[in-house]
Amino acid sequence: MKTNDVILQTTTKIIFFIIFLFSIHIFFAGHYTPGGGFVGGLLTASGIVLLLLAFDLKTVTTALPINYTVMTAIGLLLALSTAAGAIFFNVPFFTHAFDYFHLPLLGKQSLHTAMLFDTGVYLVVVGVTMTIIQSIGADD
Amino acid sequence: MINLLLFPILLPFFFAMILMLFPKKILAQRTVASTALVLTFGVTLVLLYKVKTNGIQAITLGSWPAPFGISMVSDMLSVLLVLSSTLIALLVVWYSFSSIGKDRESFFYYPGILFMLTGVNGAFTTGDIFNMFVFFEVLLMSSYLLIVLGGEKGQLRESIKYILVNVISSALFVVTVAYLYSVIGTLNMADISVKIAQIDQPGIITVIAVLFLLVFGLKGAIFPLYFWLPSSYAAPPIPVLALFGALLTKVGVYAIMRTYTLFFTLDQGFTHEMLMILSILTIIAGCIGALAYFDVKKIIIYNIIIAVGVILFGASQMNEAALMGSVFYLIHDILIKGALFLLIGVIIAITGTSDLRKMGGLIKTYPMLGWTYLIAAFGLAGIPPLSGFIGKLLIVQGGFEAGNLWGSILILLSSLAVLLSVIRIFIYAFWGETVEIKPLTRQHYRGLFMPAVILVAISVLYGVGSEWLVPYMSDAASVLLEPALYIKAVLGGA
């Protein structure tokens, strides 16, 4: 008997975007309020897990054709190169820099290199979580 | 270049990430991994020169002032350890080309080795106790991958034990650091040393010292915490075993030496005496194990435990001769254990078994292998011109100077047991009647034998040129003996 999960799938299609936006918000707010790369990454991964629950593995990998191992490696590289940037200015490793910029639409904002490091953390968390879930899920 | 001391950590880390991008291209994996290790080795040589000429190198990450940021410190002891572990990793990778097999190579084997080297080098270089925990986890997690990779039945069984023991000891490490932090209120190792000296090591600090001994003793396999080691190390393939045997226990030994010479120096009557008794028991337990087995892997594995005991006995004496001997013996043991594991790997590959009673007569077909093994065996036992001699001589001298007569005599006697255990391998495998073997192809044999010979040659040079190495070793020992040098390098002036 084939179960009809139209309600689950329809709500998932809406809720996924809400979760994803919330995770991005949490990620960007990390410098001044609770949040940051780790929670943001976990929230994004949980959004994808919701997709996996409502649909099957094949549909989700067609919709999001991402190699999560490569994503992890890129995240690590981003984090390391942000920290290693300090080496070229001959200051101790991990020295961050920030400044104020006038951005179109957003106005005066401070941009900090810690953000790039956090992006690396975000990619690693999403990559590792999804690698674990996909490899266990695809295992027969 | 104020960041130079970080390069031995960053280079393997960076190349391991690169290797994660193309796991299936074996040739590229091999090339990149060996390039990374050669580069790391070169950089470490430059660092060694810099530490020798300019003294201890220290940096606090993120340009924060010293006790508040994470300090990384490269003194002579740590740079020598980083150099020898990089060398071992390089030769093990070379050995792996012809022994580990395509399946493992295409499933993150080389990234695993590089990540492990990141952790090992980091643990040797860090100047922050919690950062040391993090680097321990980096090297342990990579070792979990390497011990289970391949998924044979024995590996699965032993990796469960290995992970269980290490998870427990890591949890204990966190608890111990929490105790220390609640008493002292700092994590920077130089600052901890200053603060402990200020409060004159009350009872609670001695308790924490014993807890640290428990934690690092579990990692470094001292008596009675070595129970997990013999069976766990026998499970993975030979190159992984060589890497583990040469490096992992030494990180625990280094951590004990560091904490017991930098932090807990004011109640030596209790802490160091306890360390000495435990190290003597470790030697006895190792000797019993090394003589009991007919399995070549087990014999060498129990020799790791003996060496851990000998090094820690030297560290517990707290005088110049014994500490210098410990440093000499520590580096010697990294080199010679790597060499011995690679050599018995060749023997196992030729005979197809690790049981001594099923071997024999190899000297007729493989004379070079036989004589190289004999040199390595004599080196391990400490026969004069070879590498194990000077370290053990200084340790015994230090033991006599400190008035520990029986401990020193026991160390001398343990050399006999060591010699007997490794010569038994030589007698059983190389002498006697020839048993039927499946000869290796020339190329395969050379791929296995060359790294082992190079390592034995380096250990012979290490022994012959020990006079030339003395200034380096006495630099390393002087930092252990005078924590003030270390504290001054990290915290500046004062």
Side-chain angles (χ1 to χ4, degrees):
Chain A
M1 192 186 78
K2 195 179 182 316
T3 46
N4 188 344
D5 41 15
V6 66
I7 297 177
L8 179 65
Q9 292 191 345
T10 317
T11 41
T12 298
K13 279 174 195 163
I14 302 162
I15 287 174
F16 170 74
F17 288 100
I18 300 172
I19 296 178
F20 187 67
L21 282 175
F22 184 57
S23 80
I24 297 294
H25 167 75
I26 285 275
F27 167 65
F28 275 110
H31 202 76
Y32 295 107
T33 56
F38 187 76
V39 230
L42 276 185
L43 267 172
T44 308
S46 66
I48 305 175
V49 170
L50 184 63
L51 284 182
L52 281 170
L53 287 175
F55 303 91
D56 58 317
L57 194 59
K58 204 179 254 174
T59 322
V60 177
T61 33
T62 336
L64 298 168
I66 302 168
N67 182 340
Y68 289 105
T69 321
V70 172
M71 190 173 184
T72 313
I74 290 174
L76 283 173
L77 277 171
L78 191 63
L80 180 72
S81 42
T82 309
I87 291 173
F88 297 105
F89 298 97
N90 207 29
V91 286
F93 184 73
F94 249 116
T95 305
H96 284 292
F98 76 99
D99 206 349
Y100 292 95
F101 292 95
H102 282 282
L103 301 176
L105 294 176
L106 297 171
K108 190 184 169 198
Q109 292 288 336
S110 69
L111 294 183
H112 199 300
T113 47
M115 196 73 227
L116 286 172
F117 185 80
D118 241 14
T119 316
V121 174
Y122 176 87
L123 290 176
V124 171
V125 171
V126 176
V128 167
T129 321
M130 292 316 297
T131 310
I132 294 170
I133 289 169
Q134 275 195 348
S135 2
I136 295 174
D139 211 28
D140 287 319
Chain B
M1 266 320 262
I2 51 172
N3 288 298
L4 184 67
L5 74 156
L6 296 173
F7 275 73
I9 308 166
L10 297 182
L11 281 173
F13 191 34
F14 175 74
F15 282 103
M17 294 168 194
I18 301 280
L19 286 177
M20 279 175 71
L21 296 173
F22 43 84
K24 303 291 169 205
K25 296 188 179 121
I26 294 175
L27 192 64
Q29 289 268 321
R30 289 176 176 183
T31 326
V32 174
S34 29
T35 317
L37 289 167
V38 170
L39 273 178
T40 314
F41 190 71
V43 167
T44 316
L45 279 177
V46 178
L47 180 63
L48 176 72
Y49 174 75
K50 198 167 176 192
V51 172
K52 183 67 199 152
T53 48
N54 297 358
I56 303 172
Q57 301 289 308
I59 191 174
T60 305
L61 299 187
S63 304
W64 299 104
F68 304 113
I70 294 171
S71 294
M72 303 297 271
V73 188
S74 201
D75 60 357
M76 191 45 92
L77 175 61
S78 80
V79 74
L80 285 172
L81 287 167
V82 167
L83 191 70
S84 35
S85 43
T86 311
L87 181 72
I88 294 289
L90 179 61
L91 292 167
V92 163
V93 162
W94 183 5
Y95 187 88
S96 306
F97 293 165
S98 40
S99 70
I100 197 76
K102 295 238 179 330
D103 290 342
R104 288 190 172 93
E105 276 181 304
S106 62
F107 207 84
F108 303 103
Y109 174 72
Y110 294 116
I113 288 186
L114 289 183
F115 276 128
M116 196 174 113
L117 189 68
T118 310
V120 170
N121 285 354
F124 286 146
T125 313
T126 187
D128 184 286
I129 196 74
F130 194 76
N131 198 237
M132 182 184 262
F133 167 76
V134 174
F135 276 120
F136 263 100
E137 289 304 302
V138 170
L139 76 91
L140 284 174
M141 290 205 186
S142 327
S143 74
Y144 300 156
L145 166 78
L146 292 174
I147 200 172
V148 80
L149 188 60
E152 289 157 23
K153 196 177 166 191
Q155 283 183 299
L156 292 173
R157 185 184 62 236
E158 295 307 328
S159 64
I160 289 176
K161 287 187 207 163
Y162 180 73
I163 292 173
L164 198 62
V165 166
N166 277 305
V167 165
I168 290 170
S169 77
S170 296
L172 208 55
F173 194 170
V174 175
V175 172
T176 312
V177 171
Y179 277 144
L180 185 66
Y181 186 73
S182 64
V183 177
I184 299 293
T186 178
L187 291 171
N188 186 302
M189 283 160 58
D191 204 26
I192 292 175
S193 175
V194 174
K195 298 269 163 64
I196 288 181
Q198 278 170 2
I199 57 173
D200 203 24
Q201 190 157 349
I204 183 79
I205 297 287
T206 307
V207 173
I208 292 169
V210 174
L211 277 172
F212 267 121
L213 189 61
L214 206 65
V215 171
F216 297 135
L218 261 170
K219 315 261 186 207
I222 64 173
F223 180 88
L225 306 166
Y226 70 94
F227 55 87
W228 55 274
L229 184 128
S231 54
S232 292
Y233 277 22
I238 290 290
V240 177
L241 170 60
L243 210 55
F244 282 19
L247 302 184
L248 291 192
T249 50
K250 305 304 179 296
V251 185
V253 171
Y254 165 81
I256 293 177
M257 283 172 79
R258 188 57 92 194
T259 46
Y260 272 63
T261 54
L262 190 60
F263 298 174
F264 311 115
T265 49
L266 297 162
D267 188 11
Q268 291 183 15
F270 184 78
T271 50
H272 288 63
E273 181 137 5
M274 181 169 169
L275 182 61
M276 185 179 77
I277 292 167
L278 285 178
S279 63
I280 289 173
L281 290 172
T282 311
I283 296 172
I284 295 172
C287 287
I288 293 171
L291 293 174
Y293 284 93
F294 275 97
D295 181 314
V296 280
K297 281 190 198 173
K298 282 276 167 64
I299 294 173
I300 309 292
I301 286 171
Y302 274 100
N303 271 299
I304 303 176
I305 297 172
I306 303 175
V308 166
V310 172
I311 298 165
L312 288 179
F313 179 81
S316 69
Q317 300 305 308
M318 290 302 273
N319 56 31
E320 197 185 344
L323 281 174
M324 196 160 131
S326 294
V327 181
F328 254 116
Y329 205 77
L330 188 56
I331 309 282
H332 145 76
D333 197 59
I334 291 178
L335 298 173
I336 204 78
K337 286 287 145 55
L340 277 172
F341 280 119
L342 296 186
L343 284 171
I344 63 161
V346 184
I347 297 175
I348 292 173
I350 292 169
T351 55
T353 172
S354 63
D355 190 342
L356 276 180
R357 285 166 293 199
K358 292 180 187 153
M359 300 176 182
L362 281 179
I363 199 83
K364 287 171 196 138
T365 34
Y366 292 97
M368 270 298 281
L369 178 66
W371 300 123
T372 314
Y373 177 80
L374 192 67
I375 292 172
F378 282 164
L380 181 72
I383 304 236
L386 299 169
S387 59
F389 172 67
I390 182 85
K392 215 173 256 180
L393 178 75
L394 287 168
I395 290 176
V396 170
Q397 185 198 334
F400 281 131
E401 275 172 18
N404 295 312
L405 189 66
W406 289 109
S408 311
I409 291 173
L410 195 99
I411 289 201
L412 293 173
L413 288 178
S414 79
S415 301
L416 285 178
V418 168
L419 185 64
L420 181 57
S421 71
V422 283
I423 285 300
R424 272 170 75 228
I425 299 182
F426 184 74
I427 291 172
Y428 275 89
F430 291 96
W431 289 356
E433 285 177 31
T434 315
V435 294
E436 202 163 313
I437 49 169
K438 46 169 180 111
L440 303 173
T441 63
R442 227 183 140 61
Q443 198 191 357
H444 186 191
Y445 174 67
R446 199 176 295 154
L448 293 177
F449 188 50
M450 281 311 284
V453 166
I454 290 175
L455 210 46
V456 173
I458 291 172
S459 86
V460 170
L461 284 179
Y462 181 86
V464 173
S466 48
E467 186 68 43
W468 182 72
L469 289 168
V470 165
Y472 294 87
M473 299 300 168
S474 75
D475 271 16
S478 71
V479 178
L480 292 178
L481 213 55
E482 292 172 55
L485 293 173
Y486 186 96
I487 294 164
K488 190 165 176 256
V490 178
L491 299 179

